[in-house]
């Protein structure tokens, strides 16, 4: 099992991104792991590391020692197994030079078989004996220091130091001649200590190596659906303070089919300050409004913002008879004809975020189509400017939203049935927006934007904070009880 450092991977759950928006080497999603977040993951992974060390088999130890009165004795310790380990105190501390993790006061219990043989001065007769032993290693310290860097858009973990130190060992032997007890203890105490130190250090290094490989294998995009993905290329330096780790990713949407090289990365100071005011939260994620506008531009360019409405809650609205008093010339020319409403956005919706709300201005064309036998006849087009605002919340690991209509204006773009009186048509359009357009938009917004959280972890007690041009998610993190996928990756 890997050691404590998987916490660093929490940042990797988020490169075209839309060139029409911003340069690809800028950061639009920022992630902060606080000290409480580091402590949470450290405690979680200490338990996982303990589980991996228990039942660890150590190599046999052989030694020949000269014991007074007896002479030279050949001794072997075998089947050396760690069956219990306790870590009463552990700490993780980020700093500018790296991330240090120290476990102190560690106790470790081992079981083993022992065997000895020697020849007496009375004659060529070999005397041997064997038995079991219980060993307790006390006062052990285990320490590691890691470096974390952005290497061409991916996180690179570097082991700077890995060490363990045993302070004291007590050995309890069962069986054998009591005359040799102290001799065996004296002969093997140092060897047992160094063997335990080497075994635990090796285990930690193996775990770190698996984490390094996992980091290198992380993709640079997170699929959102069949058409779009979120660019998770890391940009700028990893920022280490004395109480947190901060990462920045490009964070813009891009087409899933577009495969572009990793951009040239600039190393600048963070431009996305974390907005979380509650320092006890484990994780802070800040998203610039450019993230949402890149999604808007992507779907607009892919022609997804076009709808033909042929079903509405009040189906009579889609018949010219319902419009006979509002647009009499329409009914006169096409009496009792069914209709379609063709809605097409004329530009990508613009998302604007302020301290008070998240809003959007939507420019759309509403074309009225009359159905006549097997023909669709466009008869008029109305330009709409829709002003909407919305609420944002967290559902699972997704940022979800809902919009409501604040206001809209309309003007006639063209007509094949003469002039239309906009003030008479306005109630129909309002009903259309409220009963068709907004429910359709909210159905998609309810699916949400996936936040950069490693699979197997879930947000808990999250809060959303709005600021000028940014949204922040401040949250604790928990482990999904039914999902051990993440730990299987690094075992």
């Amino acid at each position: 099992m890997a050691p404590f450092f998987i916490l660093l991977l929490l940042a990797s759950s988020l490169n075209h991104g839309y060139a029409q928006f911003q340069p690809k080497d800028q950061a639009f999603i920022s992630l902060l792991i606080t000290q409480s977040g580091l402590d949470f993951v450290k405690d979680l992974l200490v338990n996982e590391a303990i589980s991996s060390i228990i039942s660890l088999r150590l190599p046999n130890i052989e030694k020949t020692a000269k014991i007074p009165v007896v002479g030279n004795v050949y001794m072997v310790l075998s089947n050396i197994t760690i069956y219990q380990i306790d870590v009463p105190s552990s700490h993780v501390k980020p700093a500018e030079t790296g991330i240090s993790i120290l476990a102190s006061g560690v106790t470790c219990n081992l079981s083993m078989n022992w065997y000895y043989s020697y020849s007496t001065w009375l004659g060529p007769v070999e005397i041997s004996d064997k038995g079991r032993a219980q060993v307790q290693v006390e006062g052990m310290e285990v320490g590691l220091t890691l470096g974390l860097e952005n290497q061409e858009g991916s996180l690179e973990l570097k082991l700077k130091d890995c060490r363990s130190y045993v302070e004291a060992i007590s050995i309890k032997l069962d069986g054998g001649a009591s005359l040799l007890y102290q001799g065996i203890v004296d002969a093997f105490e140092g060897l047992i200590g160094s063997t335990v130190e080497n075994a635990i250090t090796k285990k930690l290094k193996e775990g770190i190596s698996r984490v390094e490989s996992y980091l290198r294998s992380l993709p640079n995009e997170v699929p959102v659906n069949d058409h779009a993905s979120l660019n998770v290329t890391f940009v700028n330096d990893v920022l280490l303070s004395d109480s947190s780790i901060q990462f920045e990713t490009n964070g813009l949407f891009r087409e899933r089919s577009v495969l572009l090289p990793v951009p040239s990365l600039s190393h600048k100071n963070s431009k996305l300050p974390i907005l979380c005011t509650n320092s006890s939260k484990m994780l802070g994620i800040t998203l610039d409004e450019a993230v949402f506008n890149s999604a808007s531009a992507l779907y607009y360019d892919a022609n997804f913002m076009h709808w033909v409405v042929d079903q509405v809650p009040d189906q009579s609205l889609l018949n010219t008879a319902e419009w006979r008093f509002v647009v009499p010339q329409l009914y006169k020319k096409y009496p009792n004809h069914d209709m379609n409403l063709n809605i097409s956005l004329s530009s990508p919706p613009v998302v604007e975020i302020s301290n008070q709300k998240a809003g959007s201005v939507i420019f759309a064309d509403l074309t009225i189509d009359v159905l006549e036998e097997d023909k669709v006849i466009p008869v008029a087009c109305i330009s709409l400017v829709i002003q909407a605002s919305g609420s944002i919340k967290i559902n699972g690991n997704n940022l979800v939203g809902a919009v409501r209509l604040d206001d809209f204006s309309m003007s006639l773009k063209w007509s094949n049935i003469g002039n239309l009186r906009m003030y008479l048509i306005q109630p129909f359009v309002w009903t259309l927006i409220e009963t068709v357009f907004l429910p359709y938009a909210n159905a998609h917004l309810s699916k949400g934007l996936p936040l950069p959280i490693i699979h197997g972890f879930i947000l808990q007690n999250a809060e959303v904070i709005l600021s000028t041009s940014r949204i922040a998610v401040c949250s604790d993190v928990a482990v999904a009880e039914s999902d051990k996928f993440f730990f299987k990756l690094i075992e």
Side-chain angles (χ1 to χ4, degrees):
M1 174 66 216
F4 319 126
F5 320 112
I6 322 306
L7 55 93
L8 304 174
L9 300 180
L10 281 172
S12 60
S13 153
L14 272 180
N15 263 260
H16 184 171
Y18 265 72
Q20 67 195 54
F21 268 86
Q22 300 288 346
K24 303 180 187 69
D25 61 349
Q26 289 192 17
F28 299 101
I29 295 181
S30 182
L31 306 103
L32 181 81
I33 303 175
T34 67
Q35 184 64 56
S36 59
L38 297 177
D39 289 338
F40 165 77
V41 182
K42 179 263 302 177
D43 290 341
L44 177 68
L45 294 167
V46 163
N47 293 332
E48 292 292 327
I50 289 173
S51 297
S52 71
I53 292 174
I54 289 177
S55 300
L56 180 64
R57 181 73 64 86
L58 278 57
N60 293 348
I61 302 174
E62 300 182 21
K63 185 177 179 63
T64 299
K66 187 173 183 177
I67 297 177
V69 180
V70 176
N72 292 327
V73 180
Y74 171 70
M75 297 174 285
V76 180
L77 300 182
S78 62
N79 196 25
I80 307 171
T81 305
I82 297 175
Y83 68 87
Q84 183 177 352
I85 187 168
D86 181 44
V87 183
S89 177
S90 59
H91 305 278
V92 55
K93 190 67 176 176
E96 291 185 3
T97 56
I99 304 159
S100 298
I101 297 142
L102 177 65
S104 57
V106 178
T107 59
C108 181
N109 294 324
L110 302 89
S111 63
M112 63 189 69
N113 298 329
W114 60 266
Y115 167 84
Y116 71 80
S117 65
Y118 64 94
S119 298
T120 69
W121 56 272
L122 296 174
V125 178
E126 182 178 89
I127 298 176
S128 63
D129 204 348
K130 61 183 179 180
R132 295 280 297 166
Q134 301 293 321
V135 177
Q136 185 173 56
V137 177
E138 300 173 336
M140 176 182 285
E141 287 193 356
V142 180
L144 302 104
T145 303
L146 295 172
L148 189 64
E149 297 179 358
N150 177 3
Q151 290 291 331
E152 298 184 341
S154 298
L155 290 180
E156 182 172 315
L157 189 66
K158 295 183 177 180
L159 177 62
K160 293 184 174 181
D161 185 30
C162 182
R163 62 195 181 278
S164 60
Y165 169 72
V166 172
E167 182 176 302
I169 290 179
S170 61
I171 302 176
K172 179 182 179 182
L173 300 178
D174 296 319
S178 59
L179 178 65
L180 295 171
Y181 281 6
Q182 191 59 47
I184 292 177
V185 170
D186 292 342
F188 283 102
E189 189 174 81
L191 286 174
I192 293 173
S194 61
T195 300
V196 171
E197 291 171 352
N198 293 336
I200 290 180
T201 299
K202 180 181 178 182
K203 192 71 173 177
L204 293 176
K205 288 181 177 179
E206 290 173 354
I208 294 168
S209 178
R210 286 191 289 270
V211 175
E212 290 174 346
S213 298
Y214 182 74
L215 279 172
R216 286 192 297 269
S217 69
L218 288 174
N220 65 1
E221 67 177 17
V222 174
V224 176
N225 53 35
D226 292 339
H227 308 285
S229 62
L230 198 62
N231 184 354
V232 296
T233 303
F234 289 94
V235 297
N236 303 326
D237 292 330
V238 178
L239 301 178
L240 299 170
S241 72
D242 59 358
S243 60
S244 66
I245 304 173
Q246 185 172 344
F247 309 85
E248 293 181 331
T249 72
N250 176 274
L252 298 183
F253 279 72
R254 66 181 180 188
E255 296 177 56
R256 290 193 64 182
S257 59
V258 174
L259 298 176
L260 296 180
V262 176
S264 175
L265 301 174
S266 62
H267 298 279
K268 299 171 283 189
N269 291 330
S270 171
K271 293 185 178 180
L272 283 176
I274 298 296
L275 304 175
C276 300
T277 56
N278 187 347
S279 59
S280 67
K281 293 293 185 182
M282 299 176 184
L283 182 66
I285 306 172
T286 298
L287 301 93
D288 191 272
E289 63 185 20
V291 174
F292 308 98
N293 285 321
S294 71
S296 174
L298 173 65
Y299 287 108
Y300 177 81
D301 287 350
N303 296 318
F304 282 106
M305 295 187 176
H306 173 264
W307 307 274
V308 175
V309 179
D310 56 8
Q311 297 288 330
V312 296
D314 184 0
Q315 196 64 23
S316 64
L317 289 173
L318 294 182
N319 189 283
T320 57
E322 191 71 13
W323 295 61
R324 63 186 182 278
F325 299 116
V326 178
V327 188
Q329 64 270 36
L330 173 63
Y331 178 72
K332 183 178 180 179
K333 189 171 183 179
Y334 302 101
N336 294 312
H337 280 56
D338 289 332
M339 303 162 53
N340 280 343
L341 299 175
N342 197 321
I343 302 174
S344 181
L345 269 60
S346 54
S347 64
V350 178
V351 178
E352 297 177 340
I353 302 171
S354 67
N355 292 330
Q356 290 77 33
K357 66 178 182 179
S360 180
V361 180
I362 303 165
F363 299 90
D365 289 336
L366 171 62
T367 302
I368 301 171
D369 296 330
V370 173
L371 307 181
E372 188 172 57
E373 296 179 350
D374 60 346
K375 294 188 295 184
V376 177
I377 305 171
V379 296
C381 181
I382 299 170
S383 293
L384 303 174
V385 180
I386 303 169
Q387 295 179 344
S389 60
S391 59
I392 300 172
K393 62 181 181 179
I394 298 297
N395 182 12
N397 288 344
N398 286 359
L399 190 68
V400 300
V403 294
R404 60 182 179 272
L405 178 62
D406 290 340
D407 197 6
F408 78 97
S409 61
M410 51 192 290
S411 60
L412 183 62
K413 189 170 184 178
W414 57 263
S415 172
N416 294 331
I417 54 174
N419 190 37
L420 306 183
R421 287 178 256 184
M422 292 294 101
Y423 69 92
L424 293 177
I425 298 176
Q426 187 175 29
F428 285 85
V429 177
W430 183 282
T431 299
L432 176 68
I433 294 173
E434 287 279 15
T435 60
V436 178
F437 183 79
L438 291 184
Y440 180 86
N442 286 331
H444 285 272
L445 291 172
S446 66
K447 298 176 182 177
L449 168 70
L451 292 170
I453 304 297
I454 281 288
H455 191 60
F457 292 88
I458 56 174
L459 296 179
Q460 194 172 67
N461 303 319
E463 59 179 334
V464 177
I465 299 175
L466 300 182
S467 180
T468 302
S469 77
R470 297 187 180 103
I471 293 175
V473 177
C474 309
S475 181
D476 291 330
V477 179
V479 177
E481 292 294 333
S482 60
D483 196 342
K484 296 296 184 182
F485 172 79
F486 170 72
F487 295 110
K488 290 177 182 178
L489 285 176
I490 55 173
E491 285 178 351

